[in-house]
Amino acid sequence: MLVPACAGILLVACGGSAPAPTATSGGSSAAPTAGGEVNLYTTREPALVQPLLDAFTASSGIKVNTVLLKDGLLERLGAEGERSVADVLMVVDTGNMLDLVEAGHTRPLKSEVLEAAIPAHLRGADGQWFAMSLRDRVLYADKDLDLESFHYEDLADPQWKGRVCIRSGQHPYNTSLFAAMVAHHGVEATETWLRGVKANLARKAAGGDRDVARDILAGICDIGIANAYYVGQMKNAEPGSEQRRWGEAIKVIRPTFDVEGGGTHVNISAAALARHAPNRDNAVALMEYLVSDAAQSLYARANYEYPVKAGVELDPVVASFGPLEVDPLPLTEVVANRRTASELVDKVGFDN
């Protein structure tokens, strides 16, 4: 049984063991151990993930022991090595997940349930990781602005000079978007684009995504880039509250890349089977539950994130944004360009 996070776990040096065998699962959920448990290491906010875990336990009888790690997940897994009790690893951001894969902390999983629910470009080709929900990077616009569609490339159009708000270019939400721009258009074109976006900023690139809505309400800017799920939080906030006023001041447009077949950029929350998972069957059961209709509905209604599985009912606010056409660019290609994107942010002085 997992000891409490505050008590710690025995730390051991990473060993040079042979690769773990591939775990497999058939077309139905893996059979859980009666009265068993599963150990989850996650960087996700407790309030966002706990409703899903409670529902899983209620439906399966499997206890979820959760270790919440805001920082240091890679280091902890490295220190624990083969003695790690982690069964499932759950993080936000494709880059964070692929860091775990590259460090050897995951093991391949063949699951017909996961493969049927999750499009190929939103999971590892070798079954090392699987997206569980989507976070689309959208345009917040003044609700009275005569604007119905938008390309990410338009952010650099001089017509928006002094009218754009955005958080730091070095934040993972933005480096991911900028990395996708590199993948679509190349380094030189992306550098030119970033310089154009910086020239259009109404204020220094800083703050958080909700601050974009706040500053649109204040008249500081007219448009900005931010994650869609924050709008669900703001528009469903207490009537008359500050956040509700921010949400009511904006409308959401889902931009696309201005390329053939281009779609809306998304980041993900993702899960993987831990390399040394002691409760492998229960780990697979949890991961497969997370793409069930019930769990995906919870993602949509409780977190305002977009379900990775098609056909799940959305929160009315999220549904009002219209259909989400996810950019088909494989997320692995996005992650491959994130260092370049970060270097470009510094090169153009985006955050200065």
Side-chain angles (χ1 to χ4, degrees):
M1 182 174 178
L2 186 65
V3 295
C6 59
I9 292 178
L10 179 63
L11 303 183
V12 296
C14 237
S17 57
T22 300
T24 61
S25 172
S28 60
S29 296
T33 303
E37 60 186 12
V38 61
N39 303 321
L40 172 67
Y41 282 24
T42 182
T43 61
R44 298 223 59 185
E45 291 289 338
L48 298 182
V49 72
Q50 197 58 50
L52 294 159
L53 304 181
D54 291 343
F56 169 70
T57 297
S59 67
S60 68
I62 300 172
K63 179 183 178 183
V64 182
N65 302 310
T66 306
V67 174
L68 298 165
L69 296 159
K70 183 177 181 181
D71 300 300
L73 177 57
L74 270 171
E75 293 77 8
R76 180 159 183 168
L77 290 168
E80 292 175 356
E82 295 181 10
R83 297 286 297 275
S84 179
V85 297
D87 292 310
V88 176
L89 309 176
M90 185 187 295
V91 298
V92 172
D93 182 65
T94 316
N96 290 334
M97 177 52 71
L98 292 185
D99 285 344
L100 294 173
V101 173
E102 292 170 4
H105 296 311
T106 64
R107 65 190 295 187
L109 169 61
K110 177 69 176 177
S111 165
E112 293 179 11
V113 172
L114 294 172
E115 291 172 9
I118 305 170
H121 65 288
L122 298 176
R123 50 183 163 87
D126 55 358
Q128 292 276 10
W129 61 272
F130 299 86
M132 295 288 148
S133 65
L134 306 178
R135 298 173 155 208
D136 43 324
R137 201 85 178 130
V138 301
L139 189 81
Y140 292 5
D142 187 303
K143 66 179 182 180
D144 297 323
L145 198 62
D146 184 18
L147 187 66
E148 300 301 326
S149 63
F150 202 82
H151 292 303
Y152 293 110
E153 291 83 353
D154 295 340
L155 286 168
D157 190 313
Q159 72 169 307
W160 299 111
K161 187 173 181 62
R163 302 171 69 186
V164 177
C165 285
I166 196 169
R167 73 190 307 162
S168 167
Q170 289 294 6
H171 191 280
Y173 294 165
N174 283 333
T175 53
S176 178
L177 173 63
F178 301 164
M181 190 69 70
V182 173
H184 278 303
H185 295 293
V187 175
E188 290 186 8
T190 301
E191 179 181 339
T192 300
W193 175 76
L194 279 173
R195 293 188 186 279
V197 178
K198 177 177 170 58
N200 286 345
L201 294 181
R203 57 160 171 77
K204 182 177 179 179
D209 279 3
R210 278 172 286 201
D211 293 335
V212 173
R214 177 200 66 189
D215 290 348
I216 289 174
L217 174 63
I220 295 172
C221 46
D222 293 323
I223 62 172
I225 291 291
N227 280 355
Y229 69 89
Y230 287 115
V231 183
Q233 295 175 3
M234 291 186 290
K235 288 184 179 289
N236 284 299
E238 187 72 22
S241 66
E242 189 174 48
Q243 289 206 36
R244 183 67 170 258
R245 292 196 296 273
W246 299 347
E248 291 173 345
I250 64 171
K251 61 182 176 181
V252 170
I253 297 171
R254 286 196 166 111
T256 58
F257 288 102
D258 192 11
V259 297
E260 184 177 356
T264 299
H265 178 68
V266 300
N267 211 320
I268 60 172
S269 69
L273 182 64
R275 181 176 182 181
H276 304 293
N279 302 294
R280 202 275 311 177
D281 286 348
N282 288 350
V284 176
L286 174 58
M287 291 176 64
E288 291 185 346
Y289 172 80
L290 291 174
V291 296
S292 68
D293 288 349
Q296 289 287 296
S297 180
L298 278 173
Y299 272 119
R301 291 184 288 106
N303 299 349
Y304 310 111
E305 294 176 327
Y306 206 91
V308 72
K309 186 177 185 179
V312 175
E313 185 177 358
L314 302 174
D315 172 83
V317 170
V318 177
S320 72
F321 305 158
L324 171 61
E325 299 295 334
V326 176
D327 191 53
L329 184 73
L331 294 179
T332 49
E333 291 188 33
V334 175
V335 172
N337 289 290
R338 61 180 176 156
R339 182 182 295 275
T340 298
S342 177
E343 291 170 350
L344 288 175
V345 168
D346 286 342
K347 183 178 181 179
V348 307
F350 193 85
D351 290 347
N352 296 344

